[in-house]
């Protein structure tokens, strides 16, 4: 069965077709240039851009794959306007072609991206999903069962990357900018906090890292101007802040995987595209005897192949949604 996947949950317009864990097409159109002047994603601008890009992307993906037999679409969580654009298109296509329709949870799909790997992980395993809006550790005791072990109490890891980048005056989008700025910098130049790193629970907290960087750069009252003081070397600051974020993520994810007894760790979400996080995860997984499954960068950041993959899994389990399917922006 060729499953069409559609994702318009944030600022990427993506359409893909997956058959038996094989990607037949995966089109991803970003909107960085549109949101760059605002320093962040503007939901209304994103929704309008999805309206313009979605149909061309749909035609391209269908032509490349030679058609589709079912439709999977992200319905939750995400920005409501953007989600509704993809959902409306998915319903229209499914209705017109008489195809089964299934709604997909975006974070579950980030986990399912690992099923596109060869070799692919089979549950049980632990999964770390670190994106712009979420940072979650899941335990999958069996296929399709997602148990939340812990999540962030405040900022998501990607949000922390983005906010630190803004404080350092780096261009949008912040995550990749911070990674670039950190190249050649000393990771131990500044000792930023590692919130909850050694807490026995599986929760996260990242807002303190951003605050520590802010105080260092702008002073305790947040008002210091560049002219007042020599700014610390940017590469060292970026490398040290990046290290604080990825150290906590890697430490807690590997510990949870080891503790679960499954000995397997799946990693996904935009932050998993970070080279230093990937390096640390591989190092620590090897040391702990945990098998790591980290998709290539293009399958870590938002893409519709993962939506089609998770959709295939649901369809195979017999799940079907009706045309009253709705979007749920705040779904857990
Ligand atoms: O999963 P994703 O593409 O979209 C959401 O579902 O949120 O994740 C986007 C997040 C953003 O915060 C972005 O800054 C971060 O992932 N990100 C990175 C990198 N690439 C994207 N963070 C650190 N290093 C990167 N190379
Ligand atoms: Zn995502």
């Amino acid at each position: 069965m060729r499953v069409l996947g559609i994702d318009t949950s944030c600022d990427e317009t993506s359409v893909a077709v997956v058959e038996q864990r094989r990607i037949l097409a995966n089109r991803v159109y970003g909107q960085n240039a549109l949101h760059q002047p605002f320093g962040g994603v503007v939901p209304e601008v994103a929704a309008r851009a999805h309206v313009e890009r979605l149909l061309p992307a749909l035609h391209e993906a269908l032509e490349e794959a030679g058609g589709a037999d079912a439709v999977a679409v992200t319905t939750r969580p995400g920005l409501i306007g953007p989600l509704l654009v993809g959902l409306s298109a998915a319903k229209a296509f499914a209705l017109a072609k008489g195809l089964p329709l299934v709604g997909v949870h975006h974070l579950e799909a980030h986990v399912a991206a690992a099923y596109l790997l060869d070799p692919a992980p089979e549950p049980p395993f632990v999964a770390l999903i670190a994106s712009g809006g979420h940072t979650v550790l899941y335990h999958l005791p069996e296929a399709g069962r997602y148990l939340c072990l812990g999540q962030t109490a405040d900022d998501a890891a990607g949000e922390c990357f983005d906010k630190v980048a803004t404080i350092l005056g780096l261009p949008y989008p912040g995550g990749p900018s911070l990674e670039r700025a950190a190249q050649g910098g000393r990771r131990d130049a500044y000792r930023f906090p590692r919130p909850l790193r050694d807490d026995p629970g599986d929760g996260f907290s990242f807002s303190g890292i951003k605050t520590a960087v802010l105080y260092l750069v702008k002073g305790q009252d947040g008002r210091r101007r560049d002219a007042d003081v020599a700014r610390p070397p940017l590469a060292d600051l970026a490398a040290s802040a990046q290290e604080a974020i990825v150290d906590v993520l890697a430490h807690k994810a590997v510990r949870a995987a080891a503790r679960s007894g499954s000995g397997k760790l799946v990693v996904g979400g935009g932050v998993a595209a970070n080279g230093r996080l990937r390096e640390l995860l591989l190092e620590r997984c090897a040391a702990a005897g945990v098998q790591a499954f980290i998709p290539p960068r293009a399958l870590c950041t938002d893409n519709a192949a993962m939506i089609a993959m998770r959709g295939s899994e649901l369809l195979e389990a017999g799940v079907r949604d009706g045309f009253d399917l709705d979007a749920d922006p705040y779904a857990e």
Side-chain angles (χ1 to χ4, degrees):
M1 183 168 51
R2 291 165 303 179
V3 179
L4 177 76
I6 297 179
D7 185 74
T8 59
S9 59
C10 190
D11 63 336
E12 256 98 23
T13 311
S14 184
V15 183
V17 180
V18 164
E19 182 178 30
Q20 300 288 345
R21 301 193 171 199
R22 228 164 35 89
I23 299 175
L24 303 184
N26 188 23
R27 302 276 167 163
V28 183
Y29 293 100
Q31 307 175 355
N32 285 346
L34 293 177
H35 302 292
Q36 196 264 331
F38 306 98
V41 176
V42 182
E44 181 62 21
V45 171
R48 285 167 190 250
H50 287 310
V51 170
E52 282 171 17
R53 302 314 297 272
L54 187 54
L55 290 187
L58 189 64
H59 282 297
E60 288 165 16
L62 286 169
E63 191 171 300
E64 198 179 335
D69 311 302
V71 183
V73 59
T74 305
T75 55
R76 62 197 192 281
L79 301 169
I80 185 67
L83 283 171
L84 288 173
V85 176
L87 179 57
S88 307
K91 283 183 186 174
F93 186 76
L95 183 65
K97 301 277 182 187
L99 301 179
L101 172 72
V102 69
V104 169
H105 188 291
H106 183 83
L107 300 178
E108 294 178 1
H110 270 302
V111 176
Y115 296 142
L116 296 163
L117 293 173
D118 185 19
E122 292 304 331
F125 57 72
V126 164
L128 167 72
I129 300 305
S131 70
H134 300 85
T135 300
V136 195
L137 272 171
Y138 289 108
H139 178 229
L140 278 79
E142 62 196 24
R145 258 187 86 201
Y146 291 73
L147 307 179
C148 177
L149 296 174
Q151 54 187 317
T152 184
D154 39 58
D155 291 352
E159 189 178 358
C160 187
F161 264 97
D162 296 336
K163 287 179 173 173
V164 168
T166 302
I167 294 167
L168 297 182
L170 297 169
Y172 176 88
S177 287
L178 191 70
E179 177 170 18
R180 240 175 286 120
Q183 269 165 23
R186 286 186 302 129
R187 301 193 283 261
D188 58 354
Y190 302 94
R191 182 73 196 169
F192 291 120
R194 265 88 167 144
L196 299 185
R197 182 189 191 277
D198 298 308
D199 182 270
D202 290 312
F204 296 95
S205 166
F206 289 102
S207 67
I209 299 178
K210 154 205 73 189
T211 309
V213 175
L214 180 74
Y215 285 172
L216 187 81
V217 175
K218 303 265 186 195
Q220 290 284 342
D221 62 0
R223 288 185 177 180
R224 182 191 289 155
R225 288 177 295 122
D226 283 355
D228 297 341
V229 71
R231 266 176 91 103
L234 178 64
D236 286 354
L237 264 178
S240 301
Q242 171 175 263
E243 194 68 9
I245 304 169
V246 302
D247 174 36
V248 176
L249 287 172
H251 176 76
K252 301 200 79 163
V254 175
R255 189 184 69 180
R259 226 160 37 181
S260 74
S262 68
K264 280 175 276 183
L265 176 66
V266 163
V267 187
V271 179
N274 183 274
R276 178 59 185 154
L277 176 59
R278 298 169 78 91
E279 179 180 67
L280 259 189
L281 282 166
L282 291 177
E283 241 174 68
R284 292 185 184 170
C285 278
V290 168
Q291 201 182 351
F293 296 89
I294 313 176
R297 286 176 172 78
L299 292 178
C300 288
T301 49
D302 284 352
N303 67 88
M306 69 185 196
I307 306 302
M309 181 60 237
R310 175 67 183 132
S312 310
E313 206 187 3
L314 288 165
L315 289 160
E316 263 166 45
V319 180
R320 301 281 185 282
D321 283 304
F323 290 107
D324 57 349
L325 181 61
D326 205 355
D328 181 3
Y330 302 115
E332 281 289 303

